[in-house]
Amino acid sequence: MTATSPTPAPKAPARRFAVTTRRLALRRGADRPLATTVWAPKGDGPFPLILFSHGLTADPGDYADLLSAWARAGFVVAAPAYPHTSGESGELNILDVLNQPADASYVITEVLARLKGSVDAGRVAAAGHSAGGITTIGMFSNARDKRLIAGVVLAGRQVLASPFAGTKAPLLFVHGQRDKVVGYRDGRAAYDAVPWPKALLSVTQGGHIATGAAFDVVAATTTDFWRWSLYGDATARRRLQADATRGGVATLENELS
């Protein structure tokens, strides 16, 4: 089958970029500080924007290897530290995950305003790991952000019985089949509930966090997905299967066509 891009977009970059980082002191209201780390390609934009949400007790910097890989490929990545679930917060409140989709949408608004000219408001996506995956799913369902045109869910699941809503957007799910934190069955159920173009990368021996060869596969496959969904790169779409199954560490179910 022939894949089509979800949105018209400039040609995908043919080179890798050097990456710069900066920190934005954002705050939603009086009591929700959202210090946001931004990884950005060093080059002429505008580039697509990816909002990334971390897992419980994690920090944006914990994902630097993956997020900088995306930035090198031509994407601006903004990752807030959430006020009650990050390692920086000092006060863990798991239920506050329910407030994070609104935080994430606020950060998107602020980054688009503050980095105007460097980011493309018409090419915005969301991704997240674990609790951040739950946050990302919320942004495509009960707390739908209409600006989002694609998403990646890493080891995430649904916590509310809310259907995916709004304009269809391609989603890539990534889950370890031996994940003991968020069970593979729960991730699979979230994938099955998506009514739009979607794909599921299952890491056969993977746990909650991808490491080693599995990390390389996740980085390559997610980058292919971003290049297709945010730049319309049909070549990257055709690479998905080969990159996802490289080394035999993962399998790919693909309904993106």
Side-chain angles (χ1 to χ4, degrees), residues 15 45 47 86 95 99-100 109 113 124 127 148 177 194 206 209-210 220 224 232 242 244:
R15 66 183 180 93
F47 298 102
S86 75
L95 293 179
N99 295 314
Q100 290 181 179
T109 298
V124 180
L148 300 180
Q177 291 186 318
V194 176
I209 299 173
D224 288 341

Side-chain angles (χ1 to χ4, degrees), residues 176-255:
Q177 291 186 318
R178 296 191 175 187
D179 191 335
K180 296 181 179 180
V181 179
V182 178
Y184 179 78
R185 182 178 296 179
D186 290 333
R188 174 88 206 197
Y191 168 78
D192 288 340
V194 176
W196 310 317
K198 58 187 176 181
L200 172 61
L201 180 70
S202 300
V203 183
T204 309
Q205 303 297 323
H208 194 55
I209 299 173
T211 59
F215 172 83
D216 294 338
V217 166
V218 170
T221 306
T222 53
T223 299
D224 288 341
F225 175 80
W226 291 135
R227 285 178 65 90
W228 170 69
S229 62
L230 298 179
Y231 278 112
D233 185 352
T235 301
R237 167 65 180 82
R238 291 191 292 269
R239 284 199 306 267
L240 269 172
Q241 186 68 33
D243 283 344
T245 56
R246 186 179 61 202
V249 302
T251 61
L252 182 71
E253 294 179 48
N254 190 345
E255 300 178 40

Side-chain angles (χ1 to χ4, degrees), residues 68-177:
S68 59
W70 294 348
R72 284 194 298 273
F75 305 91
V76 173
V77 185
Y82 292 111
H84 299 296
T85 64
S86 75
E88 300 177 4
S89 69
E91 181 185 343
L92 178 64
N93 179 357
I94 295 175
L95 293 179
D96 198 58
V97 170
L98 299 176
N99 295 314
Q100 290 181 179
D103 290 335
S105 290
Y106 167 82
V107 171
I108 290 172
T109 298
E110 288 297 306
V111 171
L112 289 175
R114 296 185 184 214
L115 302 187
K116 189 174 182 180
S118 297
V119 290
D120 186 343
R123 292 182 290 156
V124 180
H129 173 253
S130 193
I134 294 171
T135 300
T136 303
I137 289 173
M139 297 176 75
F140 287 96
S141 51
N142 60 298
R144 179 62 195 260
D145 189 315
K146 295 180 180 179
R147 296 169 294 188
L148 300 180
I149 63 171
V152 170
V153 177
L154 306 162
R157 65 184 181 92
Q158 288 180 297
V159 296
L160 296 176
S162 300
F164 289 86
T167 303
K168 67 179 181 180
L171 296 179
L172 171 64
F173 286 74
V174 179
H175 218 112
Q177 291 186 318

Side-chain angles (χ1 to χ4, degrees), residues 26-62:
L26 305 182
R27 179 180 293 271
R28 184 167 74 93
D31 60 348
R32 298 195 69 80
L34 293 162
T36 299
T37 305
V38 178
W39 286 262
K42 192 174 182 179
D44 295 331
F47 298 102
L49 172 63
I50 302 168
L51 186 288
F52 182 83
S53 297
H54 61 74
L56 289 179
T57 71
D59 298 310
D62 295 338

